[in-house]
C-alpha cells in the first residue's frame, strides 16, 4: 500500500459492486432514452469509464472541467468551468458523473449550468458523498457511498494531482496534506 495512505476506504471489489448497483439504477431511470453522460474531469474519469461500461443504456459521452480547489484540500467555494462540454446541451437528458460531493458548491453550480443551457433533465450520480461537509442543500440523485470527514484519494481522486491511479480508494494520512 502507498505509504501516505492511512487505510483503505473502498477496495477494488467494493467499488465494482457499487458501480454495478449504480448502473442498474441508471438503466431503470433512463429506459428508452439516450442520455448525454458528462464526466467531470479529472476526478471522475475512472468511475465514469467503469459506470458507462456497466450500463446497458446507450449513452453519448462528454467531458468538462470545473475548478474550485487548486492544490489545496479545502474548497474555495467558487467553481468555474475550465473546459466546456462539446455537445449541444439543449433538449438533452444530462447524466452528470461526479467523483465526490463535498460542500455541494460544484454540484449547485453544475445544476444551474445545465439548466441555463436548456437541458431537458439533469441527473447527478456521485461515487462518494460527504454529508457532514455540506454548505448547500445539494444532493446527488444517486450516491454510491457516504464518507466521513477524511480526505480520500485513489480511483481518480487526487491530492495535488497525486494518487489518482491507485486502484482502490484510501484515506490520506493527515500529515500528507496538513
Ligand atoms: P464541492 O464543490 O465542495 O462539493 O467539491 C467537490 C470536489 O471537491 C470534488 O469533485 C473533488 O474534486 C474535490 N474533493 C472534495 N473532497 C475530496 C476528497 O476527499 N478527495 C479528493 N477530492 C475531493
Ligand atoms: Mg470533482
Amino acid at each position: 500500500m502507498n505509504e501516505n495512505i492511512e487505510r483503505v476506504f473502498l477496495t477494488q471489489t467494493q467499488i465494482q459492486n457499487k458501480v454495478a448497483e449504480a448502473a442498474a439504477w441508471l438503466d431503470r431511470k433512463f429506459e428508452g432514452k439516450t442520455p448525454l453522460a458528462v464526466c467531470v474531469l479529472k476526478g471522475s474519469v475512472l468511475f465514469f469509464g467503469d459506470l458507462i461500461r456497466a450500463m446497458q443504456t446507450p449513452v453519448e459521452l462528454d467531458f468538462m472541467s470545473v475548478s474550485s480547489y487548486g492544490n489545496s484540500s479545502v474548497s474555495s467555494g467558487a467553481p468555474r468551468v475550465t473546459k466546456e462540454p462539446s455537445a449541444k446541451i439543449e433538449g438533452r437528458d444530462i447524466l452528470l458523473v461526479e467523483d465526490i460531493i463535498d460542500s455541494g458548491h460544484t454540484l449547485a453550480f453544475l445544476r444551474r449550468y445545465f439548466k441555463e443551457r436548456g437541458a431537458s433533465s439533469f441527473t447527478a450520480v456521485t461515487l462518494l458523498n460527504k454529508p457532514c461537509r455540506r454548505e448547500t442543500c445539494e444532493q446527488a440523485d444517486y450516491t454510491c457511498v457516504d464518507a466521513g470527514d477524511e480526505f480520500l484519494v485513489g480511483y481518480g481522486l487526487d491530492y495535488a494531482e497525486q494518487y489518482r491511479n491507485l486502484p482502490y480508494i484510501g484515506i490520506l494520512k493527515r500529515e500528507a496534506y496538513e
Side-chain angles (χ1 to χ4, degrees), residues 40 43-44 68-69 73 75 77 79 98-107 130 133-134 150-153 157-159:
V40 185
S44 307
S68 64
Y69 271 69
S73 67
S75 171
E98 264 289 18
D99 50 357
I100 185 163
I101 314 292
D102 188 52
S103 68
H105 290 298
T106 307
L107 182 56
K130 289 184 179 172
R133 305 238 328 149
R134 205 64 104 252
E150 306 95 342
F151 200 80
L152 303 170
V153 294
L157 293 154
D158 75 311
Y159 175 68

Side-chain angles (χ1 to χ4, degrees), residues 18-66:
K18 293 294 179 185
V19 167
E21 288 170 16
W25 187 88
L26 291 166
D27 283 338
R28 287 195 296 276
K29 166 124 193 161
F30 287 109
E31 200 182 341
K33 297 190 168 156
T34 302
L36 181 66
V38 180
C39 174
V40 185
L41 296 169
K42 303 170 194 169
S44 307
V45 73
L46 301 186
F47 177 46
F48 185 79
D50 286 343
L51 185 67
I52 58 172
R53 276 182 294 180
M55 288 174 68
Q56 307 286 318
T57 308
V59 292
E60 290 176 24
L61 311 186
D62 216 328
F63 300 87
M64 71 185 301
S65 290
V66 185

